[in-house]
Amino acid sequence: MRPSLAELQRHVAAAVMQPLTQRETMRQRNASGISNAETAAQWIKPNDRLSSFERLEIYNRQYWFRVFASFEEDFPGLQAVLGRRRFQALMRAYLEANPSTSFSLRNLGRNLEAWTRTNLQFVEPYAALALDMLRLEWAHIESFDMAAVPSLQPEALGEVDEATRIGLQPHVMLLALQHDVDNALIALQRDAGSSNSSVNNAASARVVRRVRSLSGVQQQELFLAVHRWQDTVYYKRITREDFQLLRAIRGGSTLMESIEAAFAGSTLQDEARAAYLQSAFQHWMAMGWLCPAQEAAC
Amino acid sequence: MPANRFNGYTEYGVGIGLRIPHYRHILQEKPVVDWFEIISENYMVDGGRPLTVLDQILEQYRVVQHGVSMYFGSAEPLNREHLKRLKQLVRRTGTPWLSDHLCWGSVDGRYTHDLLPMPYTFEAAQWTAEKIRQVQDFVEVPVAVENVSSYAEYHVSEMTEWEFLNEVVERADCGILLDVNNIYVSSQNHSFDARTYVDAVPAERVAQIHIAGHSKFEKYILDTHDHPVLDPVWALYARAIERCGPTATLLEWDDNIPTFDEVHAEALKANRYLLQAAPEQVELEAVR
């Protein structure tokens, strides 16, 4: 009986998306031990120059070249932390476990942090630094093209009370880190968002990127707001109080609850807190970070 | 013939693909270009530089959307989020038509990000045509489907690629984005006569034509879009223009991208053929 369209596509996609060998050729057998030559022969016609296996292998290689290139472009900092060999192992394992579920390659790395936390063997002995770096790189991708909604206008502040909820711009990403990875990543010259640039051409060969090395990364508690200003992504160092306050605002807390959250564990003197709050809100308003709660939720 | 219901009754000339390395040049120098083709997926975002640049381009130029991951031929329902974002972009750009590929590329919600060839069966044609109709109804602009380059053929196929294309576009009542480079690449990989393909296409449905360069390997040709257009492709283009009339033409250059001027100069070579097909009209376009 003729196979259905769905059946054909499941078999071919499984072959196309199966991992390559270390030499980046198609494996002789799939994960279930079934011969790929037999699978290819079942679905694909040979021609006078290429066997069924070789024709299927073109797509198998193209698939991986494409996702490898996208992932490497999105996480140069992580590659610099881990070095080429470790990074390649992590990338292959991650992409095997997390094939793209989005129409855009921009989202390829969205599960990386969660996956890495449960697969620390790929980032040891640099786990803390690697996690900091990949979180910053993902925040950069998010901030690059997340929405900028209408900001909270100064006149709206007149109507604010303790029970008011306000919002935080979707493109502002908040990070609490253990290393000063911000300067290191800037040094690696990030100037774009994700590699999401979708194209419809084939790659003639796998692009080999130069692995940059990191220098001078120090262990330190660091709070960052990754945000966009005039279409450029910036990493702004913020205080613990800023981080806790902004995180509470993002979480939907009232202003009073957010202010309480800001000073939890704070060493800021009581008499300095009012001035701090005035200055912080003034700055965030000027940056356009605050917005009506309903806008942030959109 | 070139202005038809599949390209919104427009008379576009020679365009080029809008690519990031050329942003600065285009925005600063404002070169005279008839139109730009954008890859829809690169602008289906919520904000930031991609949309800022697009809006600036839209102030000066006409833009047509080209997609790479709608996967009309995938045996799964359309992605509603994708459709919703696509329609938002259509409203932003005012594209008179939009295109995507006659291929599949996702299974059970997993994306290959590749343009995988269809099995040329009646079942696949019916399924694919239905999905094209759904997209067309949803986005409310004409849809043109593009023939892809391919490196494999299936045992189950019941017809030739061009017969399949015709079957799909008739059932969907949609347009064709005829990629003559893709026809050439596939003709070499599958040993068929490229001109037979071009001659079999219903000329009245051709909304747009793609030209591009490719790379030749020992046993096959890859559609790499990293070279100037080669002579056999120009010959196919000439034949397509002869049959279809002066049709909106777009040069794709996606890898090893040279300067804007080099890409544009390569694209404008198409005018040699367009002038022969309708000299007065093309001269007017050039003056404008």
Side-chain angles (χ1 to χ4, degrees), chain A residues 2 9-10 41 45 47 49 55 59 66 100 196 198 200-202 231, chain B residues 42 52 66 73 75 108 111 113 151 153 155-156 188 190 223-224 252:
Chain A
R2 183 185 299 281
Q9 290 183 354
R10 278 207 185 88
K45 284 183 193 173
N47 70 6
R49 289 155 283 161
R55 296 183 111 183
Y59 288 102
R66 197 178 297 269
S100 173
N196 96 39
S198 295
N200 53 8
N201 63 315
D231 292 333
Chain B
N42 292 340
T52 303
H66 179 53
D108 299 330
Y111 285 72
H113 298 284
Y151 317 105
E153 300 168 294
H155 292 298
V156 295
Q188 297 300 296
H190 308 313
D223 180 31
T224 47
E252 293 182 297

PDB file of all heavy atoms in Angstrom, chain A residues 2 9-10 41 45 47 49 55 59 66 100 196 198 200-202 231, chain B residues 42 52 66 73 75 108 111 113 151 153 155-156 188 190 223-224 252:
ATOM      1  N   ARG A   2       0.440   2.275  -0.745  1.00  0.00           N
ATOM      2  CA  ARG A   2       1.225   3.497  -0.830  1.00  0.00           C
ATOM      3  C   ARG A   2       1.261   4.199   0.544  1.00  0.00           C
ATOM      4  O   ARG A   2       0.229   4.354   1.183  1.00  0.00           O
ATOM      5  CB  ARG A   2       0.568   4.431  -1.851  1.00  0.00           C
ATOM      6  CG  ARG A   2       1.326   5.725  -2.098  1.00  0.00           C
ATOM      7  CD  ARG A   2       0.532   6.625  -3.025  1.00  0.00           C
ATOM      8  NE  ARG A   2       0.322   5.970  -4.314  1.00  0.00           N
ATOM      9  CZ  ARG A   2       1.241   5.903  -5.261  1.00  0.00           C
ATOM     10  NH1 ARG A   2       2.425   6.428  -5.071  1.00  0.00           N
ATOM     11  NH2 ARG A   2       0.978   5.308  -6.401  1.00  0.00           N
ATOM     12  N   GLN A   9       6.841  11.712   5.431  1.00  0.00           N
ATOM     13  CA  GLN A   9       7.543  12.858   6.026  1.00  0.00           C
ATOM     14  C   GLN A   9       8.135  12.502   7.385  1.00  0.00           C
ATOM     15  O   GLN A   9       9.222  12.967   7.729  1.00  0.00           O
ATOM     16  CB  GLN A   9       6.594  14.048   6.119  1.00  0.00           C
ATOM     17  CG  GLN A   9       6.273  14.602   4.720  1.00  0.00           C
ATOM     18  CD  GLN A   9       5.395  15.838   4.727  1.00  0.00           C
ATOM     19  OE1 GLN A   9       4.903  16.270   5.765  1.00  0.00           O
ATOM     20  NE2 GLN A   9       5.181  16.417   3.554  1.00  0.00           N
ATOM     21  N   ARG A  10       7.441  11.685   8.175  1.00  0.00           N
ATOM     22  CA  ARG A  10       7.995  11.284   9.478  1.00  0.00           C
ATOM     23  C   ARG A  10       9.294  10.504   9.292  1.00  0.00           C
ATOM     24  O   ARG A  10      10.280  10.749   9.989  1.00  0.00           O
ATOM     25  CB  ARG A  10       6.997  10.424  10.244  1.00  0.00           C
ATOM     26  CG  ARG A  10       5.979  11.242  10.956  1.00  0.00           C
ATOM     27  CD  ARG A  10       5.407  10.566  12.190  1.00  0.00           C
ATOM     28  NE  ARG A  10       4.358  11.425  12.707  1.00  0.00           N
ATOM     29  CZ  ARG A  10       3.086  11.359  12.310  1.00  0.00           C
ATOM     30  NH1 ARG A  10       2.711  10.453  11.436  1.00  0.00           N
ATOM     31  NH2 ARG A  10       2.194  12.192  12.795  1.00  0.00           N
ATOM     32  N   ALA A  41      16.932   3.821   0.763  1.00  0.00           N
ATOM     33  CA  ALA A  41      16.499   3.086  -0.438  1.00  0.00           C
ATOM     34  C   ALA A  41      14.986   2.890  -0.466  1.00  0.00           C
ATOM     35  O   ALA A  41      14.378   2.816  -1.533  1.00  0.00           O
ATOM     36  CB  ALA A  41      17.208   1.736  -0.500  1.00  0.00           C
ATOM     37  N   LYS A  45      14.843   7.707  -4.522  1.00  0.00           N
ATOM     38  CA  LYS A  45      15.377   7.088  -5.753  1.00  0.00           C
ATOM     39  C   LYS A  45      16.867   7.383  -5.871  1.00  0.00           C
ATOM     40  O   LYS A  45      17.279   8.517  -5.623  1.00  0.00           O
ATOM     41  CB  LYS A  45      14.716   7.718  -6.986  1.00  0.00           C
ATOM     42  CG  LYS A  45      13.312   7.298  -7.282  1.00  0.00           C
ATOM     43  CD  LYS A  45      12.911   7.994  -8.583  1.00  0.00           C
ATOM     44  CE  LYS A  45      11.415   7.900  -8.814  1.00  0.00           C
ATOM     45  NZ  LYS A  45      10.996   8.712  -9.974  1.00  0.00           N
ATOM     46  N   ASN A  47      20.203   7.938  -8.393  1.00  0.00           N
ATOM     47  CA  ASN A  47      20.366   8.311  -9.808  1.00  0.00           C
ATOM     48  C   ASN A  47      21.700   7.780 -10.319  1.00  0.00           C
ATOM     49  O   ASN A  47      22.344   6.974  -9.630  1.00  0.00           O
ATOM     50  CB  ASN A  47      20.184   9.820 -10.021  1.00  0.00           C
ATOM     51  CG  ASN A  47      21.326  10.647  -9.436  1.00  0.00           C
ATOM     52  OD1 ASN A  47      22.324  10.105  -8.957  1.00  0.00           O
ATOM     53  ND2 ASN A  47      21.169  11.961  -9.468  1.00  0.00           N
ATOM     54  N   ARG A  49      24.488   9.082 -10.463  1.00  0.00           N
ATOM     55  CA  ARG A  49      25.680   9.600  -9.785  1.00  0.00           C
ATOM     56  C   ARG A  49      25.651   9.390  -8.272  1.00  0.00           C
ATOM     57  O   ARG A  49      26.689   9.335  -7.624  1.00  0.00           O
ATOM     58  CB  ARG A  49      25.801  11.115 -10.044  1.00  0.00           C
ATOM     59  CG  ARG A  49      26.192  11.464 -11.453  1.00  0.00           C
ATOM     60  CD  ARG A  49      25.721  12.863 -11.804  1.00  0.00           C
ATOM     61  NE  ARG A  49      24.295  12.880 -12.085  1.00  0.00           N
ATOM     62  CZ  ARG A  49      23.526  13.976 -12.071  1.00  0.00           C
ATOM     63  NH1 ARG A  49      24.057  15.128 -11.783  1.00  0.00           N
ATOM     64  NH2 ARG A  49      22.246  13.894 -12.349  1.00  0.00           N
ATOM     65  N   ARG A  55      21.964  10.799  -1.462  1.00  0.00           N
ATOM     66  CA  ARG A  55      21.015  11.896  -1.685  1.00  0.00           C
ATOM     67  C   ARG A  55      20.373  12.342  -0.369  1.00  0.00           C
ATOM     68  O   ARG A  55      20.212  13.530  -0.108  1.00  0.00           O
ATOM     69  CB  ARG A  55      19.940  11.466  -2.690  1.00  0.00           C
ATOM     70  CG  ARG A  55      20.515  11.183  -4.071  1.00  0.00           C
ATOM     71  CD  ARG A  55      19.450  10.822  -5.064  1.00  0.00           C
ATOM     72  NE  ARG A  55      19.303  11.886  -6.054  1.00  0.00           N
ATOM     73  CZ  ARG A  55      18.403  11.880  -7.023  1.00  0.00           C
ATOM     74  NH1 ARG A  55      17.543  10.887  -7.133  1.00  0.00           N
ATOM     75  NH2 ARG A  55      18.336  12.867  -7.879  1.00  0.00           N
ATOM     76  N   TYR A  59      20.664  16.219   2.608  1.00  0.00           N
ATOM     77  CA  TYR A  59      19.716  16.915   3.493  1.00  0.00           C
ATOM     78  C   TYR A  59      20.091  16.765   4.964  1.00  0.00           C
ATOM     79  O   TYR A  59      19.902  17.683   5.762  1.00  0.00           O
ATOM     80  CB  TYR A  59      18.298  16.387   3.246  1.00  0.00           C
ATOM     81  CG  TYR A  59      17.743  16.856   1.920  1.00  0.00           C
ATOM     82  CD1 TYR A  59      17.707  16.016   0.821  1.00  0.00           C
ATOM     83  CD2 TYR A  59      17.280  18.158   1.768  1.00  0.00           C
ATOM     84  CE1 TYR A  59      17.208  16.457  -0.395  1.00  0.00           C
ATOM     85  CE2 TYR A  59      16.777  18.612   0.565  1.00  0.00           C
ATOM     86  CZ  TYR A  59      16.742  17.750  -0.520  1.00  0.00           C
ATOM     87  OH  TYR A  59      16.255  18.200  -1.712  1.00  0.00           O
ATOM     88  N   ARG A  66      22.932  24.017   9.142  1.00  0.00           N
ATOM     89  CA  ARG A  66      22.096  25.201   9.361  1.00  0.00           C
ATOM     90  C   ARG A  66      21.898  25.468  10.861  1.00  0.00           C
ATOM     91  O   ARG A  66      22.053  26.589  11.325  1.00  0.00           O
ATOM     92  CB  ARG A  66      20.739  25.011   8.678  1.00  0.00           C
ATOM     93  CG  ARG A  66      19.948  26.290   8.481  1.00  0.00           C
ATOM     94  CD  ARG A  66      18.638  26.015   7.753  1.00  0.00           C
ATOM     95  NE  ARG A  66      18.799  25.501   6.423  1.00  0.00           N
ATOM     96  CZ  ARG A  66      18.860  26.253   5.328  1.00  0.00           C
ATOM     97  NH1 ARG A  66      18.751  27.550   5.435  1.00  0.00           N
ATOM     98  NH2 ARG A  66      19.016  25.706   4.143  1.00  0.00           N
ATOM     99  N   SER A 100      14.309  22.369  16.789  1.00  0.00           N
ATOM    100  CA  SER A 100      13.546  23.614  16.684  1.00  0.00           C
ATOM    101  C   SER A 100      12.048  23.323  16.657  1.00  0.00           C
ATOM    102  O   SER A 100      11.582  22.460  15.917  1.00  0.00           O
ATOM    103  CB  SER A 100      13.941  24.366  15.418  1.00  0.00           C
ATOM    104  OG  SER A 100      13.097  25.477  15.232  1.00  0.00           O
ATOM    105  N   ASN A 196      18.790  34.808  13.581  1.00  0.00           N
ATOM    106  CA  ASN A 196      17.543  34.301  13.023  1.00  0.00           C
ATOM    107  C   ASN A 196      17.421  34.490  11.534  1.00  0.00           C
ATOM    108  O   ASN A 196      16.572  33.889  10.912  1.00  0.00           O
ATOM    109  CB  ASN A 196      16.341  34.866  13.759  1.00  0.00           C
ATOM    110  CG  ASN A 196      15.720  36.080  13.123  1.00  0.00           C
ATOM    111  OD1 ASN A 196      15.607  36.194  11.923  1.00  0.00           O
ATOM    112  ND2 ASN A 196      15.294  36.986  13.959  1.00  0.00           N
ATOM    113  N   SER A 198      16.596  34.162   8.442  1.00  0.00           N
ATOM    114  CA  SER A 198      16.202  32.997   7.667  1.00  0.00           C
ATOM    115  C   SER A 198      16.593  33.209   6.209  1.00  0.00           C
ATOM    116  O   SER A 198      16.459  34.293   5.674  1.00  0.00           O
ATOM    117  CB  SER A 198      14.696  32.797   7.766  1.00  0.00           C
ATOM    118  OG  SER A 198      14.330  32.494   9.076  1.00  0.00           O
ATOM    119  N   ASN A 200      16.984  30.976   2.211  1.00  0.00           N
ATOM    120  CA  ASN A 200      16.468  29.797   1.524  1.00  0.00           C
ATOM    121  C   ASN A 200      17.518  29.198   0.601  1.00  0.00           C
ATOM    122  O   ASN A 200      17.195  28.630  -0.420  1.00  0.00           O
ATOM    123  CB  ASN A 200      15.182  30.126   0.759  1.00  0.00           C
ATOM    124  CG  ASN A 200      15.369  31.305  -0.149  1.00  0.00           C
ATOM    125  OD1 ASN A 200      16.484  31.772  -0.311  1.00  0.00           O
ATOM    126  ND2 ASN A 200      14.300  31.781  -0.756  1.00  0.00           N
ATOM    127  N   ASN A 201      18.763  29.354   0.985  1.00  0.00           N
ATOM    128  CA  ASN A 201      19.826  28.759   0.189  1.00  0.00           C
ATOM    129  C   ASN A 201      20.478  27.618   0.962  1.00  0.00           C
ATOM    130  O   ASN A 201      20.308  27.498   2.165  1.00  0.00           O
ATOM    131  CB  ASN A 201      20.886  29.813  -0.169  1.00  0.00           C
ATOM    132  CG  ASN A 201      21.589  30.366   1.048  1.00  0.00           C
ATOM    133  OD1 ASN A 201      20.951  30.696   2.035  1.00  0.00           O
ATOM    134  ND2 ASN A 201      22.898  30.448   0.989  1.00  0.00           N
ATOM    135  N   ALA A 202      21.250  26.834   0.231  1.00  0.00           N
ATOM    136  CA  ALA A 202      21.974  25.726   0.862  1.00  0.00           C
ATOM    137  C   ALA A 202      23.396  26.170   1.177  1.00  0.00           C
ATOM    138  O   ALA A 202      23.946  27.026   0.495  1.00  0.00           O
ATOM    139  CB  ALA A 202      21.988  24.531  -0.079  1.00  0.00           C
ATOM    140  N   ASP A 231      17.276  50.968  19.277  1.00  0.00           N
ATOM    141  CA  ASP A 231      17.536  49.752  18.504  1.00  0.00           C
ATOM    142  C   ASP A 231      18.887  49.101  18.776  1.00  0.00           C
ATOM    143  O   ASP A 231      19.326  48.232  18.024  1.00  0.00           O
ATOM    144  CB  ASP A 231      17.377  49.997  16.998  1.00  0.00           C
ATOM    145  CG  ASP A 231      15.932  50.274  16.628  1.00  0.00           C
ATOM    146  OD1 ASP A 231      15.050  49.799  17.357  1.00  0.00           O
ATOM    147  OD2 ASP A 231      15.692  50.955  15.629  1.00  0.00           O
TER     148      ASP A 231
ATOM    149  N   ASN B  42      12.138  37.092   8.962  1.00  0.00           N
ATOM    150  CA  ASN B  42      13.125  37.941   9.615  1.00  0.00           C
ATOM    151  C   ASN B  42      12.510  39.214  10.191  1.00  0.00           C
ATOM    152  O   ASN B  42      13.180  39.956  10.916  1.00  0.00           O
ATOM    153  CB  ASN B  42      14.249  38.296   8.638  1.00  0.00           C
ATOM    154  CG  ASN B  42      15.076  37.082   8.280  1.00  0.00           C
ATOM    155  OD1 ASN B  42      15.062  36.088   9.002  1.00  0.00           O
ATOM    156  ND2 ASN B  42      15.780  37.141   7.164  1.00  0.00           N
ATOM    157  N   THR B  52      12.398  48.666  12.619  1.00  0.00           N
ATOM    158  CA  THR B  52      12.771  50.060  12.364  1.00  0.00           C
ATOM    159  C   THR B  52      13.316  50.210  10.949  1.00  0.00           C
ATOM    160  O   THR B  52      12.939  51.114  10.204  1.00  0.00           O
ATOM    161  CB  THR B  52      13.842  50.526  13.381  1.00  0.00           C
ATOM    162  OG1 THR B  52      13.322  50.355  14.696  1.00  0.00           O
ATOM    163  CG2 THR B  52      14.201  51.984  13.161  1.00  0.00           C
ATOM    164  N   HIS B  66       8.528  37.423   1.027  1.00  0.00           N
ATOM    165  CA  HIS B  66       8.842  36.067   0.600  1.00  0.00           C
ATOM    166  C   HIS B  66       9.095  35.243   1.861  1.00  0.00           C
ATOM    167  O   HIS B  66       9.916  35.629   2.694  1.00  0.00           O
ATOM    168  CB  HIS B  66      10.094  36.103  -0.281  1.00  0.00           C
ATOM    169  CG  HIS B  66      10.539  34.768  -0.776  1.00  0.00           C
ATOM    170  ND1 HIS B  66       9.715  33.903  -1.442  1.00  0.00           N
ATOM    171  CD2 HIS B  66      11.751  34.160  -0.710  1.00  0.00           C
ATOM    172  CE1 HIS B  66      10.389  32.813  -1.771  1.00  0.00           C
ATOM    173  NE2 HIS B  66      11.630  32.937  -1.332  1.00  0.00           N
ATOM    174  N   GLY B  73       3.489  22.121   2.217  1.00  0.00           N
ATOM    175  CA  GLY B  73       3.403  20.692   1.950  1.00  0.00           C
ATOM    176  C   GLY B  73       3.559  19.807   3.172  1.00  0.00           C
ATOM    177  O   GLY B  73       3.448  18.581   3.070  1.00  0.00           O
ATOM    178  N   ALA B  75       2.624  17.707   6.278  1.00  0.00           N
ATOM    179  CA  ALA B  75       1.370  17.002   6.555  1.00  0.00           C
ATOM    180  C   ALA B  75       0.877  17.290   7.954  1.00  0.00           C
ATOM    181  O   ALA B  75       0.574  16.381   8.732  1.00  0.00           O
ATOM    182  CB  ALA B  75       1.578  15.502   6.361  1.00  0.00           C
ATOM    183  N   ASP B 108       5.271  17.093  13.063  1.00  0.00           N
ATOM    184  CA  ASP B 108       4.864  17.075  14.470  1.00  0.00           C
ATOM    185  C   ASP B 108       5.401  18.288  15.234  1.00  0.00           C
ATOM    186  O   ASP B 108       5.859  18.174  16.378  1.00  0.00           O
ATOM    187  CB  ASP B 108       5.346  15.774  15.154  1.00  0.00           C
ATOM    188  CG  ASP B 108       4.752  14.538  14.490  1.00  0.00           C
ATOM    189  OD1 ASP B 108       3.624  14.637  13.968  1.00  0.00           O
ATOM    190  OD2 ASP B 108       5.428  13.489  14.476  1.00  0.00           O
ATOM    191  N   TYR B 111      10.794  21.676  13.375  1.00  0.00           N
ATOM    192  CA  TYR B 111      11.170  22.353  12.134  1.00  0.00           C
ATOM    193  C   TYR B 111      12.582  21.960  11.688  1.00  0.00           C
ATOM    194  O   TYR B 111      13.515  21.992  12.479  1.00  0.00           O
ATOM    195  CB  TYR B 111      11.114  23.868  12.335  1.00  0.00           C
ATOM    196  CG  TYR B 111       9.703  24.406  12.355  1.00  0.00           C
ATOM    197  CD1 TYR B 111       8.863  24.172  13.446  1.00  0.00           C
ATOM    198  CD2 TYR B 111       9.194  25.128  11.288  1.00  0.00           C
ATOM    199  CE1 TYR B 111       7.562  24.641  13.460  1.00  0.00           C
ATOM    200  CE2 TYR B 111       7.892  25.606  11.295  1.00  0.00           C
ATOM    201  CZ  TYR B 111       7.082  25.358  12.384  1.00  0.00           C
ATOM    202  OH  TYR B 111       5.794  25.825  12.399  1.00  0.00           O
ATOM    203  N   HIS B 113      13.943  23.668   9.139  1.00  0.00           N
ATOM    204  CA  HIS B 113      14.449  24.913   8.555  1.00  0.00           C
ATOM    205  C   HIS B 113      15.099  24.651   7.197  1.00  0.00           C
ATOM    206  O   HIS B 113      16.066  25.311   6.823  1.00  0.00           O
ATOM    207  CB  HIS B 113      15.404  25.629   9.516  1.00  0.00           C
ATOM    208  CG  HIS B 113      14.721  26.020  10.799  1.00  0.00           C
ATOM    209  ND1 HIS B 113      13.861  27.082  10.892  1.00  0.00           N
ATOM    210  CD2 HIS B 113      14.710  25.428  12.020  1.00  0.00           C
ATOM    211  CE1 HIS B 113      13.362  27.147  12.117  1.00  0.00           C
ATOM    212  NE2 HIS B 113      13.856  26.156  12.822  1.00  0.00           N
ATOM    213  N   TYR B 151      17.470  17.751  -4.276  1.00  0.00           N
ATOM    214  CA  TYR B 151      18.620  16.842  -4.396  1.00  0.00           C
ATOM    215  C   TYR B 151      18.180  15.389  -4.260  1.00  0.00           C
ATOM    216  O   TYR B 151      19.006  14.491  -4.257  1.00  0.00           O
ATOM    217  CB  TYR B 151      19.656  17.202  -3.317  1.00  0.00           C
ATOM    218  CG  TYR B 151      19.823  18.696  -3.205  1.00  0.00           C
ATOM    219  CD1 TYR B 151      19.293  19.415  -2.141  1.00  0.00           C
ATOM    220  CD2 TYR B 151      20.444  19.413  -4.246  1.00  0.00           C
ATOM    221  CE1 TYR B 151      19.386  20.797  -2.090  1.00  0.00           C
ATOM    222  CE2 TYR B 151      20.537  20.790  -4.197  1.00  0.00           C
ATOM    223  CZ  TYR B 151      20.009  21.482  -3.122  1.00  0.00           C
ATOM    224  OH  TYR B 151      20.093  22.847  -3.085  1.00  0.00           O
ATOM    225  N   GLU B 153      14.603  12.556  -5.033  1.00  0.00           N
ATOM    226  CA  GLU B 153      13.254  12.275  -5.549  1.00  0.00           C
ATOM    227  C   GLU B 153      12.748  11.026  -4.839  1.00  0.00           C
ATOM    228  O   GLU B 153      13.527  10.176  -4.431  1.00  0.00           O
ATOM    229  CB  GLU B 153      13.316  11.969  -7.051  1.00  0.00           C
ATOM    230  CG  GLU B 153      13.877  13.085  -7.896  1.00  0.00           C
ATOM    231  CD  GLU B 153      14.179  12.579  -9.304  1.00  0.00           C
ATOM    232  OE1 GLU B 153      15.073  11.727  -9.444  1.00  0.00           O
ATOM    233  OE2 GLU B 153      13.495  13.026 -10.246  1.00  0.00           O
ATOM    234  N   HIS B 155      10.369   7.489  -4.478  1.00  0.00           N
ATOM    235  CA  HIS B 155       9.791   6.379  -5.238  1.00  0.00           C
ATOM    236  C   HIS B 155       8.286   6.567  -5.456  1.00  0.00           C
ATOM    237  O   HIS B 155       7.743   6.130  -6.456  1.00  0.00           O
ATOM    238  CB  HIS B 155      10.004   5.051  -4.493  1.00  0.00           C
ATOM    239  CG  HIS B 155      11.441   4.615  -4.441  1.00  0.00           C
ATOM    240  ND1 HIS B 155      12.171   4.330  -5.580  1.00  0.00           N
ATOM    241  CD2 HIS B 155      12.266   4.409  -3.386  1.00  0.00           C
ATOM    242  CE1 HIS B 155      13.387   3.956  -5.217  1.00  0.00           C
ATOM    243  NE2 HIS B 155      13.478   4.008  -3.908  1.00  0.00           N
ATOM    244  N   VAL B 156       7.625   7.176  -4.486  1.00  0.00           N
ATOM    245  CA  VAL B 156       6.151   7.226  -4.533  1.00  0.00           C
ATOM    246  C   VAL B 156       5.605   8.240  -5.536  1.00  0.00           C
ATOM    247  O   VAL B 156       4.401   8.268  -5.787  1.00  0.00           O
ATOM    248  CB  VAL B 156       5.541   7.552  -3.148  1.00  0.00           C
ATOM    249  CG1 VAL B 156       5.816   6.450  -2.161  1.00  0.00           C
ATOM    250  CG2 VAL B 156       6.035   8.903  -2.649  1.00  0.00           C
ATOM    251  N   GLN B 188      19.626  19.445 -13.386  1.00  0.00           N
ATOM    252  CA  GLN B 188      20.945  18.812 -13.396  1.00  0.00           C
ATOM    253  C   GLN B 188      20.999  17.664 -12.390  1.00  0.00           C
ATOM    254  O   GLN B 188      21.623  16.636 -12.648  1.00  0.00           O
ATOM    255  CB  GLN B 188      22.025  19.852 -13.070  1.00  0.00           C
ATOM    256  CG  GLN B 188      22.135  20.968 -14.084  1.00  0.00           C
ATOM    257  CD  GLN B 188      22.476  20.446 -15.468  1.00  0.00           C
ATOM    258  OE1 GLN B 188      23.551  19.883 -15.692  1.00  0.00           O
ATOM    259  NE2 GLN B 188      21.554  20.613 -16.419  1.00  0.00           N
ATOM    260  N   HIS B 190      18.477  15.841 -11.398  1.00  0.00           N
ATOM    261  CA  HIS B 190      17.535  14.753 -11.697  1.00  0.00           C
ATOM    262  C   HIS B 190      17.474  14.405 -13.186  1.00  0.00           C
ATOM    263  O   HIS B 190      16.598  13.637 -13.602  1.00  0.00           O
ATOM    264  CB  HIS B 190      16.130  15.123 -11.201  1.00  0.00           C
ATOM    265  CG  HIS B 190      16.098  15.561  -9.767  1.00  0.00           C
ATOM    266  ND1 HIS B 190      16.732  14.874  -8.758  1.00  0.00           N
ATOM    267  CD2 HIS B 190      15.515  16.631  -9.168  1.00  0.00           C
ATOM    268  CE1 HIS B 190      16.539  15.512  -7.608  1.00  0.00           C
ATOM    269  NE2 HIS B 190      15.820  16.570  -7.836  1.00  0.00           N
ATOM    270  N   ASP B 223      22.048  24.767  -4.464  1.00  0.00           N
ATOM    271  CA  ASP B 223      21.432  26.080  -4.644  1.00  0.00           C
ATOM    272  C   ASP B 223      21.961  27.023  -3.571  1.00  0.00           C
ATOM    273  O   ASP B 223      21.290  27.288  -2.578  1.00  0.00           O
ATOM    274  CB  ASP B 223      19.911  25.897  -4.517  1.00  0.00           C
ATOM    275  CG  ASP B 223      19.164  27.196  -4.678  1.00  0.00           C
ATOM    276  OD1 ASP B 223      19.654  28.070  -5.420  1.00  0.00           O
ATOM    277  OD2 ASP B 223      18.087  27.337  -4.073  1.00  0.00           O
ATOM    278  N   THR B 224      23.174  27.551  -3.778  1.00  0.00           N
ATOM    279  CA  THR B 224      23.857  28.269  -2.704  1.00  0.00           C
ATOM    280  C   THR B 224      23.624  29.780  -2.695  1.00  0.00           C
ATOM    281  O   THR B 224      23.948  30.440  -1.708  1.00  0.00           O
ATOM    282  CB  THR B 224      25.377  28.015  -2.785  1.00  0.00           C
ATOM    283  OG1 THR B 224      25.784  28.197  -4.144  1.00  0.00           O
ATOM    284  CG2 THR B 224      25.713  26.599  -2.355  1.00  0.00           C
ATOM    285  N   GLU B 252      18.354  36.674  -5.969  1.00  0.00           N
ATOM    286  CA  GLU B 252      18.659  36.230  -4.601  1.00  0.00           C
ATOM    287  C   GLU B 252      20.166  36.071  -4.453  1.00  0.00           C
ATOM    288  O   GLU B 252      20.808  35.410  -5.280  1.00  0.00           O
ATOM    289  CB  GLU B 252      18.001  34.878  -4.327  1.00  0.00           C
ATOM    290  CG  GLU B 252      16.488  34.910  -4.296  1.00  0.00           C
ATOM    291  CD  GLU B 252      15.916  33.532  -3.978  1.00  0.00           C
ATOM    292  OE1 GLU B 252      16.129  32.610  -4.782  1.00  0.00           O
ATOM    293  OE2 GLU B 252      15.272  33.393  -2.930  1.00  0.00           O
TER     294      GLU B 252
END
